Structures are given as C-alpha cells and as structure tokens.
Amino acid sequence: DMTSGGQMTSSTSRSDVIWNVGYTIINTANGVIENAQEVGLDAALVAEANFFRAFHYFSLVQTFGGVPLDLGSGELKFNTTPSRVSVRNTVPEVYTKAIFPDLKYAVDNLPDSPRQTGTVAKTVALLYLAKAYLTYGWWLQNPNNIPTYPECARTDPDGHDANWYFQQAYNVAVEGIENAGTSYGLLDYFYDVHLGSNDRNKEILLYTDHTENSEFYNGASLTYGGGGAPGNFAGWMVTCQTENIRSATDAAGSNWVSSVIRTDAQDIGRPWTRMATPIGVFTNTFANKTEDSRYDGTFVSVYRANFNVYSIPGLYNANFMPVYPDDAILSFLPEDLATHADYSNAIYKSNVAAGVVPGRADYVMEPSFINRQYYPGNWKLGPYRTNTTGIGQPNAESTRPFNIAKFSELYLIAAEAAVKGATPVADKSARDLVNVLRARAGKWRWDHAGNVAKNEDHSAAMIAATPATITIDYILEERSREFFGEGYRWFDLVRTQKWDEIAGSYQICEGNAANRTPQTFIRTIEPHHYLRPIPQTQIDGMEMTAEEKIAYQNPGY
C-alpha cells in the first residue's frame, strides 16, 4: 500500500500477472486475426479477437507505459518461435498502431447484441474506445509532468492534440449511451447491479464467468481454494474476521460461542482480512448514507446471526439481550455517536473489541474506530450459490462472475471528457451525465443494513446536492462511489495524475482491535510509481546485455 508495509519491486508487484497473461492472449488474438481469412472466419468473430487484443494492450500501456508490439515475428504478427530479445514501443505507438485501430474495427464489426451470453458486442467496444481516447488525451496533456517510458515526445503521430481526443472520448461514450439497444442499459436500482441472484444483468458489459455446476468449466475447485488463478477470490480480500465475534449461551455470560459463522453467503464468505478499508472511505466518500443507496449497496455494515446452521435456537449478545437467527450481531454505525459506545468489553465480551450501547442487542463500531481487523466488508463481491445448504463451501472460490466493465461507466467517461473541454450535446453536460447516476443512486427498493424492503426515492435530493460545476475531483469521487472495490481506482488516479494528491495518506486504527486511536499513514508515491515495474521474470528470461536489460526496465525499479 506504498507505506512501510508494502513497497513495489519488479519481483513483488505481481505485475507479472498482467504481463504474462496479457501477452499470451495477445498472441492468440494475433493468430486469429492473421489467419481469419484463410480459415473463413466472419468479420464479427474476428472483431472479438481485435477487441481482446486491444483490451490487453490497453491494460499493459496503462500499467507499464510503452510495451512491445513485436513478439518476434513482426509488429502485431502471430509468433510461433520463442524470442529471447524484446524492444518496447512508445506509448503513442501502442495506442495508434494497436489499441485505436483494433477498437475501431471492433466497433464497426461487432454485432449490436452479444453472439452468446457474455461475449462482447458493439457497446462494449465503444466503452473501451471512449476510455482509451480519454486516457490518451490525459497522457498527451500530462498536467503534472509525470515521466513516461520509453522516453518520447508527448505528441500524437496522427497530429491530434489532447482536446481532440477528449472530444472523441465524449462523442464515442455518448454514442454508446444512445445506441445500446435492448441488450445493455442501467438498472433501476444500484443495489440490484451487485445482487448475486441478479448476476449477468444488462448493466454489466463484460465479465469473466464462473459456474457452480462444473469444476471443469469453472476452472477451479468448487469445494476448496487457495486464493490463486484462475479462481475468483476477489471477494476474500475486503472481509473482516466475523467468525471471531462471540455471543453468550446464557444471560449470565458464563459461556461464549461464535454467533456469525463462516458461510457461503454474499454477506459473509471467507474472511481473509487482506485489505482493510480506511476510515475516510466511510466518513468522506460515502458520507451520505441516508439518501445515497450506494453505501448500503456496497458494504456489509451489519453482520447477522447465522448460528442456526449449528441448530442453536438463541444466544445473548450486547447487554445480555437475546438474539436469534438473522438478528444483528455487529453493526458498523453510519456515523460517530455523540457519546461514544462502551468499548471496554468488560462485561459483554464481543471478543472483537466492539462497543455496547444501552438498549441495543447488537455490538456496534463507529466509523472513527475502524481498524485493520474489523471493518465493513465488500458486499458487492461476496459469494453466492444456489446449490448449497447449511454453511455451503465458504473456503472455495466464488462461482459468481467477476465484473469487468459496466454500462454506467459510459456516463462518467463522457462527463470526465466534458470537464476536460469536450463540447457537450444538449442535455448531456457533465452535470447532466453525473446526475443520471446520482438520481439512480437515490432510489431504494431494499434496505440492506436493515434487511427490510425500503421503497424510497431521494433522486431529487441527490440531484439538488450535485455541485453546479463539476470538477475532476468530483468525477473521481463519483467513480469511487459507483465502482468501489472493483479494480478501477489505481487506473483512475494514474490517468488523472492525482494519485499522490488524493491518496497520499489515509487514516485507520493500527494494531489490535482494541486500539481506537486513528493513525495517519503516509504513502511514499514518487513520479516513477505511476508506472509499474516490468516483471523480473521477463528481464531474467531475455538474452540481452546487462545494459539492454537495465534500459528495458522502467526507471526507479
């Protein structure tokens, strides 16, 4: 996390995952595209290969800067002979020779509706073309003088400036919004976008799929998992140690047992406590928790009793009040109390240093006391299955699809481009576009924290609270509220060159759960960190001189 607890090196950054897998897929795509005519593939199927080649080059260029287009047989050629030398192209070459032409071909040749469930169609290509235009526009502009590598002039081979690319990003994103047909669109409620029983909905443009019906097609065990590819373990990352919570078996508190059991359920899953969410996410990013449904539709803020799987009828919790299955056991409060809860755990032994409030059966924790062990979990990514009973298979990978791209992002891409100077069309200014998502966020059909139906519409209040002038900082806040925990954030902060400014520090309570003194941690973010290191395995595997290898690696690593 760029503090003393974790530094990036060419061996530890895990950028090898993006590099190695990306180039495997790129070369496969090269082979499909190069041989398509000879074997009689139609243009729509070839366009899928073009899309995925562009998708991975876009991922690579954002992560590493300029990367090789020639794998040994020529630029964008299918390579069948291992090559032990490599030359990196510049960022403009990667965009103008690979990413833009491939995505344009995909836009022109992909069908309006997916060929099969989950395959790419025109709207998916439009989103990535718009996002690539937007990202390249920022790169050309380079407002904070972040260095690029390989070093080159920030000029476009096609003679366009940054403003031209911002306008193209806007135009393409609006086209994606206006021509989605019946296959894609926004859902009525933010909560439903991530509800496990509603997976593969029309708002999700691209996902990597899994299945609970077959280990072969799932690509990983359905009963056990160790956290590695190709399984879906994303939901394990932002989960706290709920199974440590204790409730009493009698009103005297003579015996304490676990009341929140590790289960194969979206609210719980397997607690790994790998990534704790900082306090500022709850107090700043998701400050509005009453009108904006996105906090409630992102986090597990209330952990409920599920000890019924062990056939226990009831237990006693905070204040030795009785609790039953589905009752709240630990609640993360939306804001600090005027008088803090009693966190002594002297009488009511939560075992997780949670607080007690008079008259409440649930233990509580206020936002200012979020620590590295206990925090609201990322509900979006939690497991969901239909073919298990009892505790299910909480130690296995999730059989849910992992979402990669959403229709909602088209609105924020267009809004960001408008803020950067693109001329908007009627009714689609930056504020208009942002308000489409904010209005949707104001609509509630379910109170996740309360576990009850909630038919409320706060759209008008959400729109009224939108600033009259939209800034890049506000766009980034909205992107965080829409896409928290889904893998967008680092790319957003690098694209806009605001990583150090916005995320240069964070607050959280350090040490064990009993520590309730928030500490500020400073991230050491240098300009060279805006590019990840080329994997050491790539460097070591090349038969080049020591000087050539040093020149191949990004500066600073």
Side-chain angles (χ1 to χ4, degrees), residues 161-174:
D161 61 10
N163 291 335
W164 186 90
Y165 280 100
F166 291 137
Q167 188 65 57
Q168 295 306 305
Y170 178 88
N171 295 346
V172 172
V174 168

Side-chain angles (χ1 to χ4, degrees), residues 236-258:
W236 290 14
M237 297 298 115
V238 187
T239 51
C240 71
Q241 291 286 356
T242 52
E243 59 192 351
N244 288 347
I245 306 169
R246 298 290 184 266
S247 301
T249 58
D250 57 69
S254 58
N255 185 50
W256 301 79
V257 296
S258 179

Side-chain angles (χ1 to χ4, degrees), residues 168-187:
Q168 295 306 305
Y170 178 88
N171 295 346
V172 172
V174 168
E175 181 184 352
I177 293 169
E178 294 181 340
N179 296 282
T182 59
S183 297
Y184 303 111
L186 295 179
L187 299 187

